[in-house]
Amino acid sequence: MTGSNRIVVTFGTFDVFHIGHLNILKRARLHGDTLIVGVSSDRLNIEKKDRAPVYPETERMEIVRQIKAVSDVFLEDSLELKGEYLRQFNADALVMGDDWEGKFDHFKEICDVIYLPRTEGISTTQTITKIKKYD
Ligand code: C2G
């Protein structure tokens, strides 16, 4: 008998990496055996959020790649390609934080879609604001 290899995919920017990011990656991994993370590109952030991330995509990818729960990373260069990415990686589950609740339900035809509660009290934006006050 061959062992199962349930593949979980998640997406995110993971800028100014913090405990909320670590928590979701650890919890996403518990939903399968392999965790593949799509890290959003600098170009995608500039297009969607009108600003570049603090850390460039190469560094954000390397930080996420080295997290124990993570098996592999790839660059997410288009929000519209999520379905293609899920098929390409043979995803059994898509895991996202519940700030995205309901937004990806249409992918249920490809794989399980699971939303996990966000870690309270921390975000990249809050952290940047806090650091600015140290000036
Ligand atoms: N997250 C969390 N708790 C926090 C902050 C973030 O659980 N306190 C989760 C988010 O819900 C998300 C992941 O960490 O699932 C990455 O968060 P962001 O870096 O903010 O990514 P985002 O900009 O939401 O993703 O296709 C989606 C894009 O890649 C953008």
PDB file of all heavy atoms in Angstrom, residues 54-81:
ATOM      1  N   VAL A  54       7.693  45.656   2.114  1.00  0.00           N
ATOM      2  CA  VAL A  54       8.943  46.105   2.735  1.00  0.00           C
ATOM      3  C   VAL A  54      10.086  45.188   2.288  1.00  0.00           C
ATOM      4  O   VAL A  54      11.153  45.655   1.894  1.00  0.00           O
ATOM      5  CB  VAL A  54       8.813  46.093   4.283  1.00  0.00           C
ATOM      6  CG1 VAL A  54      10.140  46.455   4.937  1.00  0.00           C
ATOM      7  CG2 VAL A  54       7.706  47.036   4.738  1.00  0.00           C
ATOM      8  N   TYR A  55       9.859  43.883   2.360  1.00  0.00           N
ATOM      9  CA  TYR A  55      10.885  42.917   1.945  1.00  0.00           C
ATOM     10  C   TYR A  55      10.602  42.473   0.515  1.00  0.00           C
ATOM     11  O   TYR A  55       9.456  42.126   0.182  1.00  0.00           O
ATOM     12  CB  TYR A  55      10.862  41.666   2.827  1.00  0.00           C
ATOM     13  CG  TYR A  55      11.194  41.872   4.291  1.00  0.00           C
ATOM     14  CD1 TYR A  55      10.796  40.931   5.233  1.00  0.00           C
ATOM     15  CD2 TYR A  55      11.914  42.980   4.730  1.00  0.00           C
ATOM     16  CE1 TYR A  55      11.090  41.100   6.584  1.00  0.00           C
ATOM     17  CE2 TYR A  55      12.213  43.148   6.073  1.00  0.00           C
ATOM     18  CZ  TYR A  55      11.795  42.205   6.996  1.00  0.00           C
ATOM     19  OH  TYR A  55      12.085  42.363   8.327  1.00  0.00           O
ATOM     20  N   PRO A  56      11.630  42.425  -0.343  1.00  0.00           N
ATOM     21  CA  PRO A  56      11.424  41.978  -1.721  1.00  0.00           C
ATOM     22  C   PRO A  56      11.022  40.499  -1.806  1.00  0.00           C
ATOM     23  O   PRO A  56      11.280  39.735  -0.865  1.00  0.00           O
ATOM     24  CB  PRO A  56      12.783  42.212  -2.389  1.00  0.00           C
ATOM     25  CG  PRO A  56      13.770  42.350  -1.288  1.00  0.00           C
ATOM     26  CD  PRO A  56      13.028  42.807  -0.072  1.00  0.00           C
ATOM     27  N   GLU A  57      10.419  40.131  -2.916  1.00  0.00           N
ATOM     28  CA  GLU A  57       9.869  38.773  -3.068  1.00  0.00           C
ATOM     29  C   GLU A  57      10.905  37.670  -2.859  1.00  0.00           C
ATOM     30  O   GLU A  57      10.581  36.631  -2.287  1.00  0.00           O
ATOM     31  CB  GLU A  57       9.184  38.615  -4.430  1.00  0.00           C
ATOM     32  CG  GLU A  57      10.119  38.763  -5.616  1.00  0.00           C
ATOM     33  CD  GLU A  57       9.403  38.996  -6.935  1.00  0.00           C
ATOM     34  OE1 GLU A  57       8.264  39.476  -6.935  1.00  0.00           O
ATOM     35  OE2 GLU A  57      10.020  38.686  -7.975  1.00  0.00           O
ATOM     36  N   THR A  58      12.142  37.893  -3.279  1.00  0.00           N
ATOM     37  CA  THR A  58      13.169  36.842  -3.126  1.00  0.00           C
ATOM     38  C   THR A  58      13.394  36.555  -1.639  1.00  0.00           C
ATOM     39  O   THR A  58      13.543  35.401  -1.242  1.00  0.00           O
ATOM     40  CB  THR A  58      14.514  37.278  -3.757  1.00  0.00           C
ATOM     41  OG1 THR A  58      14.797  38.601  -3.314  1.00  0.00           O
ATOM     42  CG2 THR A  58      14.466  37.231  -5.266  1.00  0.00           C
ATOM     43  N   GLU A  59      13.404  37.619  -0.829  1.00  0.00           N
ATOM     44  CA  GLU A  59      13.635  37.443   0.610  1.00  0.00           C
ATOM     45  C   GLU A  59      12.403  36.862   1.291  1.00  0.00           C
ATOM     46  O   GLU A  59      12.511  35.984   2.150  1.00  0.00           O
ATOM     47  CB  GLU A  59      14.036  38.790   1.242  1.00  0.00           C
ATOM     48  CG  GLU A  59      15.368  39.277   0.698  1.00  0.00           C
ATOM     49  CD  GLU A  59      15.822  40.619   1.247  1.00  0.00           C
ATOM     50  OE1 GLU A  59      15.264  41.083   2.259  1.00  0.00           O
ATOM     51  OE2 GLU A  59      16.753  41.197   0.648  1.00  0.00           O
ATOM     52  N   ARG A  60      11.210  37.321   0.910  1.00  0.00           N
ATOM     53  CA  ARG A  60       9.978  36.771   1.510  1.00  0.00           C
ATOM     54  C   ARG A  60       9.857  35.283   1.192  1.00  0.00           C
ATOM     55  O   ARG A  60       9.489  34.469   2.055  1.00  0.00           O
ATOM     56  CB  ARG A  60       8.755  37.555   1.012  1.00  0.00           C
ATOM     57  CG  ARG A  60       8.701  38.986   1.590  1.00  0.00           C
ATOM     58  CD  ARG A  60       7.483  39.779   1.149  1.00  0.00           C
ATOM     59  NE  ARG A  60       7.499  40.168  -0.240  1.00  0.00           N
ATOM     60  CZ  ARG A  60       6.697  39.708  -1.186  1.00  0.00           C
ATOM     61  NH1 ARG A  60       5.756  38.828  -0.887  1.00  0.00           N
ATOM     62  NH2 ARG A  60       6.794  40.128  -2.434  1.00  0.00           N
ATOM     63  N   MET A  61      10.199  34.917  -0.046  1.00  0.00           N
ATOM     64  CA  MET A  61      10.137  33.490  -0.428  1.00  0.00           C
ATOM     65  C   MET A  61      11.133  32.657   0.361  1.00  0.00           C
ATOM     66  O   MET A  61      10.821  31.560   0.811  1.00  0.00           O
ATOM     67  CB  MET A  61      10.414  33.329  -1.924  1.00  0.00           C
ATOM     68  CG  MET A  61       9.271  33.782  -2.789  1.00  0.00           C
ATOM     69  SD  MET A  61       9.687  33.645  -4.526  1.00  0.00           S
ATOM     70  CE  MET A  61       9.239  31.964  -4.849  1.00  0.00           C
ATOM     71  N   GLU A  62      12.336  33.195   0.550  1.00  0.00           N
ATOM     72  CA  GLU A  62      13.373  32.437   1.255  1.00  0.00           C
ATOM     73  C   GLU A  62      13.010  32.238   2.733  1.00  0.00           C
ATOM     74  O   GLU A  62      13.207  31.160   3.297  1.00  0.00           O
ATOM     75  CB  GLU A  62      14.734  33.139   1.093  1.00  0.00           C
ATOM     76  CG  GLU A  62      15.901  32.453   1.774  1.00  0.00           C
ATOM     77  CD  GLU A  62      16.147  31.010   1.309  1.00  0.00           C
ATOM     78  OE1 GLU A  62      15.544  30.550   0.338  1.00  0.00           O
ATOM     79  OE2 GLU A  62      16.965  30.334   1.976  1.00  0.00           O
ATOM     80  N   ILE A  63      12.436  33.274   3.347  1.00  0.00           N
ATOM     81  CA  ILE A  63      12.014  33.162   4.756  1.00  0.00           C
ATOM     82  C   ILE A  63      10.947  32.077   4.878  1.00  0.00           C
ATOM     83  O   ILE A  63      11.033  31.179   5.715  1.00  0.00           O
ATOM     84  CB  ILE A  63      11.506  34.530   5.286  1.00  0.00           C
ATOM     85  CG1 ILE A  63      12.682  35.494   5.440  1.00  0.00           C
ATOM     86  CG2 ILE A  63      10.749  34.360   6.607  1.00  0.00           C
ATOM     87  CD1 ILE A  63      12.292  36.954   5.623  1.00  0.00           C
ATOM     88  N   VAL A  64       9.935  32.120   4.005  1.00  0.00           N
ATOM     89  CA  VAL A  64       8.833  31.137   4.067  1.00  0.00           C
ATOM     90  C   VAL A  64       9.361  29.734   3.759  1.00  0.00           C
ATOM     91  O   VAL A  64       8.992  28.766   4.425  1.00  0.00           O
ATOM     92  CB  VAL A  64       7.685  31.542   3.114  1.00  0.00           C
ATOM     93  CG1 VAL A  64       6.624  30.450   3.062  1.00  0.00           C
ATOM     94  CG2 VAL A  64       7.068  32.865   3.548  1.00  0.00           C
ATOM     95  N   ARG A  65      10.272  29.645   2.781  1.00  0.00           N
ATOM     96  CA  ARG A  65      10.824  28.334   2.395  1.00  0.00           C
ATOM     97  C   ARG A  65      11.500  27.636   3.564  1.00  0.00           C
ATOM     98  O   ARG A  65      11.449  26.413   3.677  1.00  0.00           O
ATOM     99  CB  ARG A  65      11.832  28.528   1.248  1.00  0.00           C
ATOM    100  CG  ARG A  65      12.431  27.224   0.726  1.00  0.00           C
ATOM    101  CD  ARG A  65      13.484  27.442  -0.345  1.00  0.00           C
ATOM    102  NE  ARG A  65      12.909  27.832  -1.629  1.00  0.00           N
ATOM    103  CZ  ARG A  65      13.087  29.009  -2.221  1.00  0.00           C
ATOM    104  NH1 ARG A  65      13.852  29.927  -1.667  1.00  0.00           N
ATOM    105  NH2 ARG A  65      12.516  29.273  -3.369  1.00  0.00           N
ATOM    106  N   GLN A  66      12.111  28.414   4.444  1.00  0.00           N
ATOM    107  CA  GLN A  66      12.880  27.824   5.549  1.00  0.00           C
ATOM    108  C   GLN A  66      12.032  27.477   6.772  1.00  0.00           C
ATOM    109  O   GLN A  66      12.562  26.938   7.752  1.00  0.00           O
ATOM    110  CB  GLN A  66      14.021  28.774   5.962  1.00  0.00           C
ATOM    111  CG  GLN A  66      15.054  29.015   4.865  1.00  0.00           C
ATOM    112  CD  GLN A  66      15.757  27.757   4.396  1.00  0.00           C
ATOM    113  OE1 GLN A  66      15.852  26.777   5.131  1.00  0.00           O
ATOM    114  NE2 GLN A  66      16.231  27.766   3.155  1.00  0.00           N
ATOM    115  N   ILE A  67      10.737  27.775   6.732  1.00  0.00           N
ATOM    116  CA  ILE A  67       9.863  27.402   7.846  1.00  0.00           C
ATOM    117  C   ILE A  67       9.655  25.885   7.806  1.00  0.00           C
ATOM    118  O   ILE A  67       9.388  25.317   6.741  1.00  0.00           O
ATOM    119  CB  ILE A  67       8.489  28.142   7.733  1.00  0.00           C
ATOM    120  CG1 ILE A  67       8.688  29.665   7.753  1.00  0.00           C
ATOM    121  CG2 ILE A  67       7.499  27.674   8.816  1.00  0.00           C
ATOM    122  CD1 ILE A  67       9.229  30.240   9.016  1.00  0.00           C
ATOM    123  N   LYS A  68       9.780  25.261   8.966  1.00  0.00           N
ATOM    124  CA  LYS A  68       9.735  23.793   9.064  1.00  0.00           C
ATOM    125  C   LYS A  68       8.467  23.189   8.443  1.00  0.00           C
ATOM    126  O   LYS A  68       8.525  22.131   7.820  1.00  0.00           O
ATOM    127  CB  LYS A  68       9.808  23.422  10.537  1.00  0.00           C
ATOM    128  CG  LYS A  68      10.439  22.100  10.830  1.00  0.00           C
ATOM    129  CD  LYS A  68      10.183  21.819  12.308  1.00  0.00           C
ATOM    130  CE  LYS A  68      11.351  21.172  12.957  1.00  0.00           C
ATOM    131  NZ  LYS A  68      11.113  21.011  14.406  1.00  0.00           N
ATOM    132  N   ALA A  69       7.332  23.865   8.623  1.00  0.00           N
ATOM    133  CA  ALA A  69       6.054  23.324   8.135  1.00  0.00           C
ATOM    134  C   ALA A  69       5.932  23.378   6.612  1.00  0.00           C
ATOM    135  O   ALA A  69       5.062  22.727   6.030  1.00  0.00           O
ATOM    136  CB  ALA A  69       4.900  24.113   8.763  1.00  0.00           C
ATOM    137  N   VAL A  70       6.816  24.147   5.968  1.00  0.00           N
ATOM    138  CA  VAL A  70       6.673  24.414   4.524  1.00  0.00           C
ATOM    139  C   VAL A  70       7.529  23.450   3.699  1.00  0.00           C
ATOM    140  O   VAL A  70       8.711  23.266   3.964  1.00  0.00           O
ATOM    141  CB  VAL A  70       7.080  25.886   4.224  1.00  0.00           C
ATOM    142  CG1 VAL A  70       7.105  26.155   2.724  1.00  0.00           C
ATOM    143  CG2 VAL A  70       6.130  26.848   4.939  1.00  0.00           C
ATOM    144  N   SER A  71       6.902  22.848   2.679  1.00  0.00           N
ATOM    145  CA  SER A  71       7.627  21.922   1.807  1.00  0.00           C
ATOM    146  C   SER A  71       8.238  22.652   0.622  1.00  0.00           C
ATOM    147  O   SER A  71       9.343  22.331   0.177  1.00  0.00           O
ATOM    148  CB  SER A  71       6.680  20.846   1.266  1.00  0.00           C
ATOM    149  OG  SER A  71       5.952  20.268   2.320  1.00  0.00           O
ATOM    150  N   ASP A  72       7.511  23.621   0.066  1.00  0.00           N
ATOM    151  CA  ASP A  72       8.005  24.327  -1.117  1.00  0.00           C
ATOM    152  C   ASP A  72       7.261  25.651  -1.277  1.00  0.00           C
ATOM    153  O   ASP A  72       6.158  25.810  -0.744  1.00  0.00           O
ATOM    154  CB  ASP A  72       7.805  23.454  -2.365  1.00  0.00           C
ATOM    155  CG  ASP A  72       8.840  23.743  -3.435  1.00  0.00           C
ATOM    156  OD1 ASP A  72       9.634  24.684  -3.270  1.00  0.00           O
ATOM    157  OD2 ASP A  72       8.848  23.025  -4.458  1.00  0.00           O
ATOM    158  N   VAL A  73       7.877  26.548  -2.020  1.00  0.00           N
ATOM    159  CA  VAL A  73       7.246  27.848  -2.290  1.00  0.00           C
ATOM    160  C   VAL A  73       7.270  28.111  -3.794  1.00  0.00           C
ATOM    161  O   VAL A  73       8.087  27.540  -4.519  1.00  0.00           O
ATOM    162  CB  VAL A  73       7.970  29.014  -1.569  1.00  0.00           C
ATOM    163  CG1 VAL A  73       7.888  28.874  -0.073  1.00  0.00           C
ATOM    164  CG2 VAL A  73       9.410  29.146  -2.026  1.00  0.00           C
ATOM    165  N   PHE A  74       6.359  28.966  -4.241  1.00  0.00           N
ATOM    166  CA  PHE A  74       6.398  29.461  -5.622  1.00  0.00           C
ATOM    167  C   PHE A  74       5.924  30.900  -5.608  1.00  0.00           C
ATOM    168  O   PHE A  74       5.331  31.363  -4.628  1.00  0.00           O
ATOM    169  CB  PHE A  74       5.548  28.581  -6.555  1.00  0.00           C
ATOM    170  CG  PHE A  74       4.065  28.637  -6.272  1.00  0.00           C
ATOM    171  CD1 PHE A  74       3.239  29.497  -7.002  1.00  0.00           C
ATOM    172  CD2 PHE A  74       3.493  27.851  -5.293  1.00  0.00           C
ATOM    173  CE1 PHE A  74       1.876  29.556  -6.762  1.00  0.00           C
ATOM    174  CE2 PHE A  74       2.127  27.906  -5.028  1.00  0.00           C
ATOM    175  CZ  PHE A  74       1.321  28.759  -5.764  1.00  0.00           C
ATOM    176  N   LEU A  75       6.187  31.616  -6.702  1.00  0.00           N
ATOM    177  CA  LEU A  75       5.802  33.018  -6.785  1.00  0.00           C
ATOM    178  C   LEU A  75       4.390  33.127  -7.352  1.00  0.00           C
ATOM    179  O   LEU A  75       4.106  32.603  -8.433  1.00  0.00           O
ATOM    180  CB  LEU A  75       6.799  33.751  -7.690  1.00  0.00           C
ATOM    181  CG  LEU A  75       6.809  35.276  -7.592  1.00  0.00           C
ATOM    182  CD1 LEU A  75       7.248  35.729  -6.194  1.00  0.00           C
ATOM    183  CD2 LEU A  75       7.750  35.850  -8.648  1.00  0.00           C
ATOM    184  N   GLU A  76       3.510  33.787  -6.583  1.00  0.00           N
ATOM    185  CA  GLU A  76       2.140  34.029  -7.067  1.00  0.00           C
ATOM    186  C   GLU A  76       2.146  35.384  -7.776  1.00  0.00           C
ATOM    187  O   GLU A  76       2.260  36.420  -7.133  1.00  0.00           O
ATOM    188  CB  GLU A  76       1.148  34.075  -5.889  1.00  0.00           C
ATOM    189  CG  GLU A  76      -0.273  34.338  -6.353  1.00  0.00           C
ATOM    190  CD  GLU A  76      -1.247  34.649  -5.216  1.00  0.00           C
ATOM    191  OE1 GLU A  76      -0.837  35.169  -4.165  1.00  0.00           O
ATOM    192  OE2 GLU A  76      -2.442  34.387  -5.411  1.00  0.00           O
ATOM    193  N   ASP A  77       2.018  35.346  -9.097  1.00  0.00           N
ATOM    194  CA  ASP A  77       2.140  36.599  -9.850  1.00  0.00           C
ATOM    195  C   ASP A  77       0.804  37.130 -10.339  1.00  0.00           C
ATOM    196  O   ASP A  77       0.739  38.204 -10.931  1.00  0.00           O
ATOM    197  CB  ASP A  77       3.125  36.422 -11.017  1.00  0.00           C
ATOM    198  CG  ASP A  77       3.654  37.763 -11.495  1.00  0.00           C
ATOM    199  OD1 ASP A  77       3.786  38.678 -10.664  1.00  0.00           O
ATOM    200  OD2 ASP A  77       3.894  37.914 -12.705  1.00  0.00           O
ATOM    201  N   SER A  78      -0.280  36.365 -10.088  1.00  0.00           N
ATOM    202  CA  SER A  78      -1.603  36.846 -10.505  1.00  0.00           C
ATOM    203  C   SER A  78      -2.674  36.230  -9.614  1.00  0.00           C
ATOM    204  O   SER A  78      -2.699  35.004  -9.436  1.00  0.00           O
ATOM    205  CB  SER A  78      -1.853  36.448 -11.965  1.00  0.00           C
ATOM    206  OG  SER A  78      -3.223  36.574 -12.260  1.00  0.00           O
ATOM    207  N   LEU A  79      -3.542  37.064  -9.069  1.00  0.00           N
ATOM    208  CA  LEU A  79      -4.636  36.556  -8.220  1.00  0.00           C
ATOM    209  C   LEU A  79      -5.594  35.705  -9.041  1.00  0.00           C
ATOM    210  O   LEU A  79      -6.239  34.799  -8.526  1.00  0.00           O
ATOM    211  CB  LEU A  79      -5.408  37.723  -7.593  1.00  0.00           C
ATOM    212  CG  LEU A  79      -4.665  38.593  -6.592  1.00  0.00           C
ATOM    213  CD1 LEU A  79      -5.581  39.682  -6.050  1.00  0.00           C
ATOM    214  CD2 LEU A  79      -4.109  37.754  -5.450  1.00  0.00           C
ATOM    215  N   GLU A  80      -5.666  36.005 -10.331  1.00  0.00           N
ATOM    216  CA  GLU A  80      -6.609  35.312 -11.211  1.00  0.00           C
ATOM    217  C   GLU A  80      -6.157  33.890 -11.557  1.00  0.00           C
ATOM    218  O   GLU A  80      -6.931  33.115 -12.115  1.00  0.00           O
ATOM    219  CB  GLU A  80      -6.810  36.105 -12.516  1.00  0.00           C
ATOM    220  CG  GLU A  80      -7.638  37.373 -12.354  1.00  0.00           C
ATOM    221  CD  GLU A  80      -6.932  38.473 -11.568  1.00  0.00           C
ATOM    222  OE1 GLU A  80      -5.715  38.666 -11.775  1.00  0.00           O
ATOM    223  OE2 GLU A  80      -7.577  39.089 -10.707  1.00  0.00           O
ATOM    224  N   LEU A  81      -4.904  33.571 -11.260  1.00  0.00           N
ATOM    225  CA  LEU A  81      -4.382  32.244 -11.632  1.00  0.00           C
ATOM    226  C   LEU A  81      -4.493  31.216 -10.511  1.00  0.00           C
ATOM    227  O   LEU A  81      -3.978  30.101 -10.647  1.00  0.00           O
ATOM    228  CB  LEU A  81      -2.918  32.351 -12.081  1.00  0.00           C
ATOM    229  CG  LEU A  81      -2.671  33.003 -13.449  1.00  0.00           C
ATOM    230  CD1 LEU A  81      -1.178  33.077 -13.727  1.00  0.00           C
ATOM    231  CD2 LEU A  81      -3.368  32.198 -14.551  1.00  0.00           C
TER     232      LEU A  81
END
